[in-house]
Amino acid sequence: MKKTLRLIPLLGAALLVLSACGTSAVTNQSTGAWETIVYYFALAIKGMSFGQSMGLGIVLFTLAIRVVMIPLYHYQMTSSRKMQEIQPQLKAIQEKYRGLSDTESRLAMTEETRAVQKEAGVSTWSSLLPLLVQMPILWALYQALTRVDFVREGHFLWLDLAKPDQFYFLPILAALFTFLSSWLTNKAIKEKNGAMTAMTYGLPVMIFFFAFNIASGVSLYWTVSNAFQVGQILLLNNPFKIIAEREEKEAIEKEREAKKRRAMRKGKKKRK
């Protein structure tokens, strides 16, 4: 867990690096490597804008990106789930070496932790690496929506893509799907902390107010992306199914322990 906490700043650093790539307009005259990627993303959106509907292009390209990243998401969620399952063992190791700060004890704790992770087929990086890969892709898509003029312009249904949604429909949907995505992701986690709860309820509020003031093209992206995420979770990492499987395993284990106790009591009676 401590290793995970030490790696979290890397995510923030990566985001800062991408943010530092600039906020100025991107055109076909832009020469930077990052700007070139952003511009090609914008061209892809334009290419999917059938009937010259840039909003439809945003929807289709967002869905295409999310579909391409399904294997990464599935790998990340599987690794995260396995990490959650071995948390009791990892905590037991930490308790075992609590208060021991000598080098030998620290090395022993590290080795035991690695052994548990190896047996489970996971590592700290196995859940973080897919996220690091996804970040620049999603950020390039976001910047294509905000930095390339021909993507920002246009209309879709009642929306002027360059202006906020005047009926607040997209901000509400973006916040709702963000909440559902976070809630479903954390639903099956047995040991939740305050940060998870704050993120589950705080992030949708932030998204709502951002979407309330930002161009509706970006709000449309947030809505479609998070709606896809909700469906993806229900199909590939359904928390209700995970909880049911866990409860079934726990029930089987309890029954096994109960049989052992009954067998031991019978054995004692026979010896008497």
Side-chain angles (χ1 to χ4, degrees):
M1 181 60 70
K2 289 183 178 179
K3 285 187 176 181
T4 302
L5 292 175
R6 286 199 294 268
L7 288 170
I8 287 175
L10 291 177
L11 300 179
L15 184 58
L16 286 175
V17 169
L18 293 176
S19 299
C21 292
T23 57
S24 58
V26 173
T27 68
N28 58 355
Q29 302 299 316
S30 299
T31 57
W34 177 253
E35 282 73 16
T36 301
I37 294 172
V38 169
Y39 189 73
Y40 276 118
F41 269 54
L43 288 178
I45 293 173
K46 186 177 181 180
M48 293 185 177
S49 300
F50 302 108
Q52 297 184 335
S53 173
M54 197 61 69
L56 180 60
I58 292 172
V59 171
L60 293 178
F61 189 65
T62 300
L63 291 175
I65 289 292
R66 299 298 309 203
V67 168
V68 168
M69 292 195 303
I70 283 177
L72 281 174
Y73 168 82
H74 186 56
Y75 181 76
Q76 178 189 345
M77 289 297 101
T78 300
S79 298
S80 297
R81 181 180 172 184
K82 289 180 179 178
M83 286 293 287
Q84 286 296 324
E85 290 174 351
I86 63 173
Q87 281 307 305
Q89 294 168 266
L90 297 181
K91 285 189 175 182
I93 294 173
Q94 291 172 1
E95 286 297 323
K96 178 181 177 181
Y97 292 96
R98 183 181 294 276
L100 301 176
S101 57
D102 59 284
T103 303
E104 186 177 346
S105 297
R106 305 306 295 179
L107 288 174
M109 184 177 73
T110 300
E111 288 301 318
E112 289 186 31
T113 299
R114 286 177 178 171
V116 170
Q117 291 178 338
K118 184 177 180 180
E119 184 178 355
V122 296
S123 67
T124 303
W125 281 106
S126 63
S127 57
L128 290 179
L129 188 57
L131 181 60
L132 291 174
V133 173
Q134 292 176 61
M135 282 178 61
I137 297 173
L138 294 176
W139 192 250
L141 174 56
Y142 173 79
Q143 291 216 329
L145 298 174
T146 57
R147 298 180 64 189
V148 182
D149 287 340
F150 66 75
V151 175
R152 296 177 60 187
E153 298 169 354
H155 293 79
F156 181 64
L157 301 177
W158 70 93
L159 301 168
D160 181 341
L161 297 178
K163 298 178 181 179
D165 180 3
Q166 59 180 329
F167 299 112
Y168 314 127
F169 189 57
L170 282 182
I172 292 172
L173 283 180
L176 175 62
F177 284 122
T178 299
F179 169 75
L180 288 174
S181 175
S182 298
W183 184 78
L184 288 170
T185 298
N186 297 328
K187 176 68 176 175
I189 298 176
K190 294 184 71 173
E191 299 181 8
K192 299 180 180 66
N193 54 42
M196 289 181 181
T197 302
M199 185 66 72
T200 298
Y201 293 97
L203 186 59
V205 175
M206 291 173 58
I207 289 292
F208 174 79
F209 283 106
F210 280 138
F212 185 80
N213 295 293
I214 207 166
S216 58
V218 177
S219 301
L220 180 62
Y221 153 68
W222 280 341
T223 301
V224 173
S225 183
N226 282 301
F228 184 92
Q229 177 94 341
V230 169
Q232 187 172 246
I233 292 170
L234 291 174
L235 286 174
L236 301 179
N237 197 49
N238 192 307
F240 304 105
K241 182 179 178 181
I242 293 172
I243 292 171
E245 290 175 351
R246 181 195 300 150
E247 290 176 346
E248 183 179 357
K249 287 181 181 179
E250 290 175 351
I252 292 173
E253 185 61 29
K254 286 181 180 179
E255 180 61 26
R256 185 182 295 116
E257 291 297 323
K259 286 181 179 179
K260 285 182 180 180
R261 288 194 295 269
R262 288 195 294 268
M264 290 177 64
R265 285 197 295 268
K266 287 181 180 179
K268 288 179 180 179
K269 288 180 180 179
K270 287 181 179 180
R271 285 195 294 271
K272 290 180 180 180

